[in-house]
Structure formats: C-alpha cells, structure tokens
Amino acid sequence: MISVTEAFQKFRSRLELTQKEQDDASRRQKEIREVMAGNFKREDDFLTGSYRRHTKTKPLKDVDIFYVLHDDERKKYRDGKPPSVLLDEVERVLAKEYGGDKVHRQRRSVSLEFPVSGEEERVISFDVVPAFTKGDHYEIPDTATPKGWTETNPKVHAEKATAANEAFAGEWKGMVRMIKRWNQEKGKPIKPSFLLEVMALDLLRPPFGGNYPLEFMSFFASVADRIDETWPDPAGLGPAVSDSMDAIRIANAKTLLRQASDAVRVAINLGKAGKNGEALRAYRDLFGELFPLS
Ligand SMILES: Nc1ncnc2c1ncn2[C@@H]1O[C@H](COP(=O)(O)OP(=O)(O)OP(=O)(O)O)[C@@H](O)[C@H]1O
Ligand SMILES: [Mg+2]
C-alpha cells in the first residue's frame, strides 16, 4: 500500500497542470491578447497571478492576463474616470468577439470562459486585467475601493513566492496548491484564495521538516488563530488582501480550519496505529477526490 508521504507526493503532482492544459491556456491567452491589442493601444502584456507563479490549483480556472495600456489611452480611460469606464469597454470588446454569455465583469477584471477542447462540461477561464503603469509598478481598476484604482506589483508577489519555495526545500508552491484545493473542497471559506498564499508566506515556516501531515496540521491551526488579522498586500501597495473577509466569513473559516487541523491530527494517529488505509481516507475527506488512496 502507498505510504502517506507517497500519497501526498502523488497528490501534489496531480495538482500540477498537464502539458495539454498549458498548451490550451497558452493558445487562448495569445488570442485574447491580440483581441485586446486591436482595441486598446498596448504598452505590454503578460501572464500573471497564481498561474504564472505555479500556485494555481486544479481545475484550471481564472488564468490572469495583465494587459498594460499605453499612456496614450489615459485620457480616455484613466484621468478622472471611474474604473467602470475601462472595465465596461473591456467587457464590450471581449463580448463582441466571444459572446456576452462567456464574459463577466468582476471587481478588478473581466472574466472570459471557454470549453476545454475535447472535454464536455469542463471550462478554462481567463481574467483579463487592464492596467496602467505607475512608476515601477502598475495600477488596475478596482470597483470595490473608494479610490477606484489599486496599485499592484505582481513581480514582487512572484519573487516572494519563489524565495519561499526555495527556503522550503522546493515544497512551498506544492503545499500552497494543496491548501487551495482544500479551500475549494470546503466551499471556499477563505476568499480570495490569494489570501491563503499570502498567509503561507508567513505561516509555512522553513525549514520543511519532510512530514506533510505535521506541516498541514500546524498551518491550519495557525491560520485559524490568525485569520481575523489584517493581511496586507505583500508588495505593500494594494488594499489588504483580507479585505473581503467579514465577521461571518471569518467565523465560518475559523471553524473549518480548526476542523481541518483536528482531522489531520486524527489521521496522524490512525497512521501511528497502523491504520494506513483509514488515514488515507481521512486525508481524502479533507483534500478531495484527487487525493490518492493507492
Ligand atoms: N489586495 C491586493 N493588492 C495588490 N495586488 C493584489 C491584491 N490581490 C491580488 N493581487 C494581485 O493580483 C493577482 C491576481 O489576483 P487573484 O485574486 O486572481 O489571485 P491569484 O493569486 O491569481 O489566485 P487564484 O488562484 O485564486 O486565481 C494576485 O496574484 C496578486 O498578484
Ligand atoms: Mg488568479
């Protein structure tokens, strides 16, 4: 029978994106960038967010595309304009190309959904984030803040994730993907999932001890203790990443996080008692059906 460590390693690799998923995403995003370029003068564009950082979990959703508008577009979309003017136009442009039912306006971006080639019922989606440069970083529309625009520096987020991963024996990104998978499995108590990644920068403390269950047990317990704190943008620019967690969400998240930490403790004890099969099933209850039993 598969050991617990082997099961976590297998689970981790099951959460990695396949070549086909990456090819699909790559083809679609190039096309989207060109549609944008046909309508907004381009300064730069690139993939960003958790997809770029390899901290995205499966199923593959919400690949972030940063589209940086040229300064010539400022008059039309930025200077004195509310963020909705730019987001409306991005929505209109994408809806014209792909159909209104595929396109949805969000707080900071416009999302776009495609069926996965060859697979019924599965979709891949993109978040198109329009941006302007600001000094060495960017500002993006944000309809949920009074200022209307949020400063961000995705490069700093990527550098911090890479540094954390190196300090954690190359296990940090894999563990973040597993933790995000738990969040999905439990109905997304923690919103946005980027908050879990931000907390993991502080709370997955190196060195990696080599024991996944112990690391997860202590991570879930620490997040439960500290989910009511304010968690700033790691680049020190945007609003607190925890700004969507209201009191009700926090209370619900605390309960589920404590349950998760307790469930890992129970599973560890099952393993110690030689009940390996039961331990694996307990981890599957926590992390979902991609967690292997054999
Ligand atoms: N409060 C914030 N301030 C500054 N930048 C932010 C903030 N929230 C998110 N970002 C940046 O925007 C990116 C995209 O946000 P998003 O919510 O899609 O998170 P994500 O890390 O891509 O996670 P997910 O796997 O849920 O897509 C983040 O990766 C981060 O670089
Ligand atoms: Mg994202």
Side-chain angles (χ1 to χ4, degrees):
M1 189 189 273
I2 191 171
S3 74
V4 167
T5 301
E6 286 163 350
F8 273 101
Q9 285 164 346
K10 195 165 180 180
F11 178 44
R12 182 191 60 195
S13 64
R14 282 180 176 180
L15 295 179
E16 278 163 14
L17 303 176
T18 62
Q19 195 57 48
K20 185 177 168 301
E21 284 170 311
Q22 295 185 44
D23 291 347
D24 243 34
S26 165
R27 185 171 53 84
R28 290 290 194 187
Q29 55 91 5
K30 279 187 196 136
E31 179 190 307
I32 295 165
R33 280 145 58 147
E34 292 320 307
V35 171
M36 288 293 288
N39 292 273
F40 303 92
K41 189 167 176 190
R42 169 163 53 192
E43 174 72 30
D44 192 8
D45 61 12
F46 48 88
L47 287 172
T48 179
S50 59
Y51 180 83
R52 177 71 177 265
R53 294 193 302 273
H54 304 289
T55 52
K56 181 159 278 302
T57 197
K58 296 234 251 192
L60 178 54
K61 287 246 180 87
D62 306 334
V63 175
D64 295 291
I65 302 176
F66 229 64
Y67 186 90
V68 186
L69 281 74
H70 193 276
D71 268 349
D72 288 357
E73 299 280 28
R74 272 183 182 278
K75 262 206 197 76
K76 215 161 153 191
Y77 299 115
R78 177 67 188 93
D79 298 338
K81 302 283 195 307
S84 54
V85 173
L86 176 55
L87 288 172
D88 280 347
E89 188 57 13
V90 174
E91 183 181 15
R92 196 191 64 77
V93 160
L94 294 176
K96 192 165 151 237
E97 182 73 22
Y98 296 105
D101 56 329
K102 303 276 188 300
V103 175
H104 300 280
R105 261 271 303 272
Q106 305 182 123
R107 169 177 174 180
R108 300 181 178 127
S109 60
V110 176
S111 80
L112 184 56
E113 197 176 277
F114 299 97
V116 170
S117 58
E119 285 180 52
E120 269 173 53
E121 290 180 15
R122 277 195 54 211
V123 293
I124 177 171
S125 61
F126 294 83
D127 285 343
V128 181
V129 186
F132 283 101
T133 49
K134 180 160 189 181
D136 65 350
H137 55 274
Y138 303 95
E139 54 184 357
I140 60 178
D142 190 341
T143 52
T145 54
K147 264 168 63 189
W149 297 83
T150 273
E151 294 183 39
T152 186
N153 194 340
K155 253 189 219 116
V156 172
H157 299 154
E159 284 162 10
K160 292 206 166 188
T162 299
N165 197 50
E166 279 166 13
F168 214 69
E171 296 284 348
W172 188 89
K173 291 187 178 188
M175 288 191 61
V176 168
R177 289 197 296 272
M178 294 190 250
I179 292 160
K180 284 182 165 183
R181 192 69 196 78
W182 165 82
N183 193 43
Q184 242 172 29
E185 191 62 25
K186 301 300 163 193
K188 300 198 181 149
I190 294 166
K191 188 186 155 192
S193 75
F194 182 52
L195 175 57
L196 280 168
E197 182 170 337
V198 168
M199 293 180 83
L201 287 172
D202 267 18
L203 301 178
L204 283 181
R205 293 248 165 81
F208 174 61
N211 185 321
Y212 295 100
L214 284 182
E215 298 287 355
F216 283 119
M217 185 173 72
S218 95
F219 180 78
F220 284 130
S222 321
V223 177
D225 285 345
R226 300 189 49 193
I227 188 71
D228 42 12
E229 293 178 16
T230 298
W231 290 84
D233 168 18
L237 291 168
V241 179
S242 51
D243 71 355
S244 299
M245 292 295 292
D246 58 25
I248 293 171
R249 274 185 190 281
I250 288 172
N252 178 48
K254 256 188 204 290
T255 305
L256 292 170
L257 286 157
R258 295 226 165 91
Q259 281 171 3
S261 176
D262 290 346
V264 178
R265 180 178 299 105
V266 169
I268 291 172
N269 287 332
L270 284 168
K272 280 185 188 155
K275 296 176 180 168
N276 202 41
E278 283 180 51
L280 295 176
R281 266 189 296 279
Y283 292 122
R284 177 180 281 210
D285 283 346
L286 215 47
F287 291 102
E289 61 180 17
L290 288 176
F291 192 91
L293 297 179
S294 60

